Amino acid sequence: MSATTPERVYAELTKGIWRENPIFVQVLGMCPTLAVTNSVMNAIAMGVATFFVLVGSSLLVSLLRRLIPREVRISTYIIIIATFVTLADSALEALVPAVHKELGAFIALIVVNCLILGRQEAFASRNPPLLALADAIGMGLGFCIALLCLGGTREILGAGSFLGVSLFGPNFEPWVIMVLPPGGFLMLGAVLLLFAVLRQRKRRPKEVGA
Amino acid sequence: MTTPVELTVGGATRSTSSLRLVATLGIAGLCSGFLLSASYQVTKPIIDANKAEQLRQSVFEVVPGSSAVQRLVYRDGSLTPIGEMEKTALPVLFAAYDDAGAFRGYGIMHQGAGFADQIVLIYGFEPESRRIVGMRVLSSKETPGLGDKIYKSDAFVSNFEDLAAEPSIVVVKDGRDAVNEVDAITGATISSKSVVKIINESVAFWKDKLPAPGSEPPAPRPGEGGQP
């Protein structure tokens, strides 16, 4: 791996937001993505909790990368991740009990979000802390943005509101299916399709030019 | 990021002693344990206080006009005050009082099976007229968009603002026309029936345990009332 230059840090920071977005491009962490994006508030809380866990554990794993023997690295990552998740869980319960109630078991399930373990194995364990931090912040932001896209559209269509504020007045008949589990699959499918089309569009002019 | 992972099976390249492996995991677990117990110490009182406060607010909501609350436990055939945080296996309920300290009604918690998982609710009971005067769902996992109308739909919740509890509450599908009827939510009949069943069970349970109307325990003295 190359040295920690400002350009490198910037590249690691931005790649997660769009080019390697964990949900839209890597299609990782589908369980929370589908389960809790039925409202904007839930999406924000899940995004923030995942961001905190990802950044915290990436930094720690990167700092300890020379001390952790290869044979037990996955178990050690899981201990580190689980600790951060439990901290986030009790912090949410103490600070925003209403949101914690709504998210229920999905907070605890951040432990097994493959996005987080994936970043430890693929990046944080092989790179110095600054790069690992940049990578985690980028990936965490990308995850938040993706959850917000899904949560926003699903709440607008499925409940006719945004962050609980009614948008279309009392005569709007909500598409209940959008806030139910199948709506998550429909919306995710539509968004992935959109991304595939966008990427193809971007590629085509270059091919023509060459 | 693209370098393949090398697994050293059988100690071909560089094997680590098992002692080091055990020590690494042990130390990691120990540190994690310390951190978690520290955070538990900090957050537990806040979480408990939040829950008690939420419960108190919900009693005020289900018993209109109330502004003070006292937790009571049913012990040896009568209701006696008990601390809000105190744990007990005996049945408990809340007595609600207005500003002047006059008794307004009971807030009673009960739970039972819903369409998905347990529904925990609290309802206000006015013993003199034997009526339900309010209902709030405290926790449930009913289907979003359908079953969750048991607490999101004002039309359904308002069924419980003036509802005769006897002989028993019944669920109807074509609009209320008797004082003991509840109009079911379209598309969530099971959730509606579950709520009514939970209340019916609880009313039947408390029926012979509540003191005669007018002889409820007095309001707590100012300064200690409603405080944990």
Side-chain angles (χ1 to χ4, degrees), chain B residues 111-177:
Chain B
Q111 56 186 317
F115 181 70
D117 214 325
Q118 294 269 306
I119 297 176
V120 183
L121 55 78
I122 187 166
Y123 63 92
F125 184 70
E126 210 274 289
E128 199 157 353
S129 60
R130 307 201 71 77
R131 275 166 188 267
I132 311 289
V133 288
M135 185 278 293
R136 288 287 178 282
V137 174
L138 297 175
S139 81
S140 71
K141 294 198 171 62
E142 300 303 284
T143 322
L146 295 170
D148 67 353
K149 286 187 186 160
I150 58 172
Y151 58 92
K152 285 189 175 159
S153 152
D154 292 338
F156 181 74
V157 174
S158 67
N159 273 305
F160 297 89
E161 278 161 14
D162 181 20
L163 180 68
E166 287 171 355
S168 72
I169 309 165
V170 290
V171 178
V172 293
K173 288 189 179 181
D174 45 7
R176 274 183 93 176
D177 42 31

Side-chain angles (χ1 to χ4, degrees), chain A residues 1 15 20 38 66-73 75-76 79-80 82-84 86-87 90-91 93-98 101-102 119 121-123 126-127 135 176 179-181, chain B residues 1-8 14-16 20-22 24-25 28-29 31-33 35-36 39-40 43 46-47 50-51 54 137-141 143-146 151-152:
Chain A
M1 290 286 163
K15 71 169 190 288
E20 288 180 32
N38 53 7
R66 293 193 207 288
L67 294 175
I68 301 172
R70 289 207 72 77
E71 291 88 338
V72 290
R73 64 187 192 285
S75 335
T76 317
I79 294 179
I80 293 173
T83 310
F84 278 107
T86 315
L87 289 179
S90 31
E93 189 170 8
L95 300 175
V96 276
K101 202 172 111 184
E102 196 82 5
R119 290 332 288 167
E121 174 68 14
F123 200 91
R126 294 137 196 255
N127 286 287
D135 171 76
V176 174
V179 293
L180 296 179
Chain B
M1 199 165 64
T2 45
T3 29
V5 177
E6 288 174 7
L7 275 177
T8 52
R14 177 169 43 122
S15 70
T16 320
R20 172 133 188 258
L21 302 186
V22 173
T24 308
L25 284 180
C31 295
S32 156
L35 205 58
L36 290 186
S39 90
Y40 183 77
T43 51
I46 307 177
I47 292 170
N50 278 347
K51 281 187 178 157
Q54 253 174 2
V137 174
L138 297 175
S139 81
S140 71
K141 294 198 171 62
T143 322
L146 295 170
Y151 58 92
K152 285 189 175 159

Side-chain angles (χ1 to χ4, degrees), chain A residues 126-150:
Chain A
R126 294 137 196 255
N127 286 287
L130 195 60
L131 288 184
L133 202 61
D135 171 76
I137 291 174
M139 288 290 165
L141 279 180
F143 189 71
C144 288
I145 291 168
L147 286 191
L148 260 181
C149 286
L150 288 170

Side-chain angles (χ1 to χ4, degrees), chain B residues 8 15 17 23 26 28 33-34 47 53 56-57 61-62 68 81 92 107 120 162 166-167 178 183-184 186 206:
Chain B
T8 52
S15 70
S17 73
F34 272 118
I47 292 170
E53 176 59 30
R56 197 176 15 243
Q57 289 303 329
E61 281 172 21
V62 296
V92 290
V120 183
D162 181 20
E166 287 171 355
D183 198 12
T186 311
W206 284 104

Side-chain angles (χ1 to χ4, degrees), chain A residues 51-145:
Chain A
F51 181 85
F52 166 74
V53 173
L54 183 58
V55 171
S57 29
S58 278
L59 184 62
L60 204 58
V61 164
S62 173
L63 285 171
L64 299 173
R65 70 190 189 285
R66 293 193 207 288
L67 294 175
I68 301 172
R70 289 207 72 77
E71 291 88 338
V72 290
R73 64 187 192 285
I74 302 282
S75 335
T76 317
Y77 302 161
I78 289 287
I79 294 179
I80 293 173
I81 296 168
T83 310
F84 278 107
V85 170
T86 315
L87 289 179
D89 192 32
S90 31
L92 279 178
E93 189 170 8
L95 300 175
V96 276
V99 174
H100 183 269
K101 202 172 111 184
E102 196 82 5
L103 292 177
F106 290 105
I107 292 287
L109 284 175
I110 296 177
V111 178
V112 289
N113 188 330
C114 49
L115 160 66
I116 294 173
L117 190 59
R119 290 332 288 167
Q120 312 314 321
E121 174 68 14
F123 200 91
S125 59
R126 294 137 196 255
N127 286 287
L130 195 60
L131 288 184
L133 202 61
D135 171 76
I137 291 174
M139 288 290 165
L141 279 180
F143 189 71
C144 288
I145 291 168

